[in-house]
Amino acid sequence: MISLRDAELRTPVADPSKIIAAPVNYRDHQVEMNVDAQVGALGFFLEAPSSLLDPGGTIQLPYHDRRFDQEGELAVIIGRTARMVGEREALEYVFGYTGLLDITMRGGEDRSTRKSFDTFTPMGPVLVTADEFGDPGNVELRCWVNGQLRQHANTADLIWSVAQLISYASSVTTLYPGDIVTTGTPAGVGPIQAGDDIRLELSGIGLPLTARVAADDTIACPTSGRDRRPVAPA
């Protein structure tokens, strides 16, 4: 009998219509990035579904002259069509929860550009249904790079809760089953490079999400946003 740990796992959702992401949704991350605005002012941004990567996969960095960071997050999978949903009933539209690594290129380009490269959204390794997962407002998050703990937080510290995010997103765009809402990252983001190994653990998710980093066939970045950004932490 093959155990879950021996199986080849894929992303819990293969083809969402959209990935909705929360910018600056932890106060400590706002402080480390030294930015004035947070999710309450910024709303959300979209990431390309084609950026999804199977758990255990390889993140391919596209450029050799730009900085790329890891961001560990709790992700929400929508279970039924939601439009203009109130905050009180928002969690009723959740099918389940999983882990997500939001890899980002630092710079002045739009967030949707800097986070939508192919392989930049590892997700999984398993989806836990909402009835089994429990309270998304009390999830411990830990993220390591090469065995060094970089991020340690609890979703109790989110600026906008999961319910708030879903409610707001549904007031802008219809959410469909399989759509992903990712909740933002806490402090501790840092640069990654070829050869690095990333590990994300979330309480309530039975297995860690892992990914390795490669830089095969990189080129010089064609855009000029390198120095147009908040100062990322050293």
Side-chain angles (χ1 to χ4, degrees), residues 15-234:
D15 55 352
S17 76
K18 61 185 86 64
I19 302 173
I20 288 174
V24 195
N25 200 21
Y26 286 85
R27 296 286 183 191
D28 59 358
H29 181 52
Q30 182 180 10
V31 170
E32 77 172 351
M33 296 302 296
N34 192 28
V35 292
D36 294 330
Q38 38 91 343
V39 62
L42 298 170
F44 66 80
F45 62 93
L46 296 173
E47 298 182 15
S50 56
S51 68
L52 286 171
L53 177 69
D54 291 337
T58 300
I59 300 159
Q60 287 287 349
L61 304 182
Y63 308 132
H64 54 70
D65 55 351
R66 296 296 294 267
R67 170 175 165 168
F68 301 91
D69 287 7
Q70 103 292 333
E71 299 185 358
E73 307 191 10
L74 170 69
V76 182
I77 311 300
I78 298 298
R80 56 191 180 101
T81 302
R83 177 64 180 158
M84 300 300 293
V85 171
E87 187 178 330
R88 288 185 178 181
E89 63 266 23
L91 295 184
E92 298 174 11
Y93 291 79
V94 175
F95 179 72
Y97 300 88
T98 191
L100 184 144
L101 287 167
D102 181 19
I103 306 303
T104 185
M105 178 177 75
R106 292 297 171 206
E109 295 86 355
D110 187 83
R111 280 184 174 87
S112 62
T113 298
R114 294 187 287 109
K115 296 169 177 282
S116 285
F117 294 96
D118 287 356
T119 73
F120 267 35
T121 313
M123 188 172 72
V126 294
L127 187 155
V128 179
T129 56
D131 61 323
E132 293 287 339
F133 188 76
D135 180 11
N138 184 25
V139 178
E140 192 167 8
L141 178 155
R142 290 187 176 92
C143 186
W144 294 263
V145 176
N146 299 329
Q148 179 184 16
L149 182 64
R150 285 192 178 179
Q151 296 181 279
H152 185 191
N154 191 290
T155 56
D157 297 324
L158 287 170
I159 297 172
W160 273 13
S161 68
V162 170
Q164 285 176 285
L165 287 170
I166 294 171
S167 177
Y168 172 70
S170 75
S171 75
V172 177
T173 183
T174 302
L175 304 179
Y176 296 105
D179 281 354
I180 300 164
V181 179
T182 186
T183 56
T185 198
V189 302
I192 56 174
Q193 59 187 355
D196 285 350
D197 290 299
I198 307 173
R199 178 186 178 97
L200 173 67
E201 291 186 1
L202 297 164
S203 60
I205 306 292
L207 295 174
L209 172 61
T210 62
R212 66 178 301 270
V213 183
D216 303 330
D217 303 318
T218 59
I219 62 172
C221 181
T223 55
S224 59
R226 178 171 184 165
D227 298 318
R228 295 177 54 249
R229 65 181 192 274
V231 178

